[in-house]
Amino acid sequence: SLTAGLTLPQALMRNLEHLPPELQGEMARVLYDIRLGYSVADAFANLAARLGTRDVKMISIASRIGVEHGGNMAESYRLLSGMLREAIGFEMELKAMTTEGRMQALVMSCLPFALLLLLSLISWDMFGTIFTTVAGLGVLLGLCCMLGIAYLWIRKIVDIEV
């Protein structure tokens, strides 16, 4: 619509029904702000303040620059959408690559408890003292603390922010 020569509010109004319901409500609010007298840049700044995500802030900045300084807004939005799609693809690829580490943290944290339960079922005489004596409960408490720290440590290593 911008390429065809419509202004940004006209293009938003024309394509409003094609948007997903969540985004449709937010864009309707942007149009409402414009009708109330806000500039297009201020309406998008309000949208960025409401949602607070990095992607919406980039859209707000692109809108502000396009409205205040002119230029080809259609091309700016096209480049911005390509950049955002690449960022989303990279985040999904990164999440897929770190799935092994997250699963390893879960398995390695649960494995000692599963092994202890299995050995207790097989030979209660040998491993039952862990649950019935003070020293055994102390060992279990230490095990829980160390496994909790290890789990959090592995999660911290695997959690990569983009």
Side-chain angles (χ1 to χ4, degrees):
S1 296
L2 288 172
T3 306
L6 295 178
T7 64
L8 186 57
Q10 291 171 337
L12 282 175
M13 183 64 122
R14 182 173 182 168
N15 294 303
L16 195 61
E17 69 258 2
H18 301 296
L19 298 174
E22 302 84 16
L23 187 59
Q24 192 175 37
E26 290 298 331
M27 287 300 139
R29 178 103 184 253
V30 168
L31 287 171
Y32 181 74
D33 285 349
I34 292 170
R35 277 185 254 145
L36 283 178
Y38 286 100
S39 69
V40 173
D42 290 338
F44 274 101
N46 290 342
L47 174 70
R50 272 195 314 272
L51 298 181
T53 64
R54 177 189 51 143
D55 299 340
V56 176
K57 287 178 184 174
M58 288 174 58
I59 293 169
S60 172
I61 291 169
S63 300
R64 180 175 294 277
I65 290 171
V67 168
E68 290 178 358
H69 300 289
N72 189 351
M73 298 257 314
E75 186 62 27
S76 297
Y77 283 135
R78 189 174 297 116
L79 290 172
L80 184 60
S81 69
M83 202 168 68
L84 293 176
R85 283 188 184 104
E86 286 179 14
I88 290 170
F90 176 72
E91 288 174 5
M92 290 174 62
E93 185 176 336
L94 185 64
K95 187 175 181 178
M97 291 171 68
T98 59
T99 300
E100 180 183 354
R102 288 193 308 271
M103 190 58 141
Q104 180 182 7
L106 183 64
V107 169
M108 294 304 287
S109 297
C110 293
L111 190 62
F113 293 114
L115 187 62
L116 181 64
L117 179 65
L118 183 64
L119 289 174
S120 295
L121 291 175
I122 293 172
S123 177
W124 179 257
D125 297 336
M126 187 180 282
F127 291 97
T129 57
I130 291 177
F131 301 106
T132 57
T133 63
V134 175
L137 292 175
V139 168
L140 281 177
L141 181 63
L143 176 72
C144 289
C145 290
M146 286 190 284
L147 284 175
I149 291 169
Y151 177 78
L152 293 175
W153 194 349
I154 291 172
R155 290 294 294 210
K156 181 70 176 167
I157 291 171
V158 172
D159 186 28
I160 300 171
E161 291 187 26
V162 180

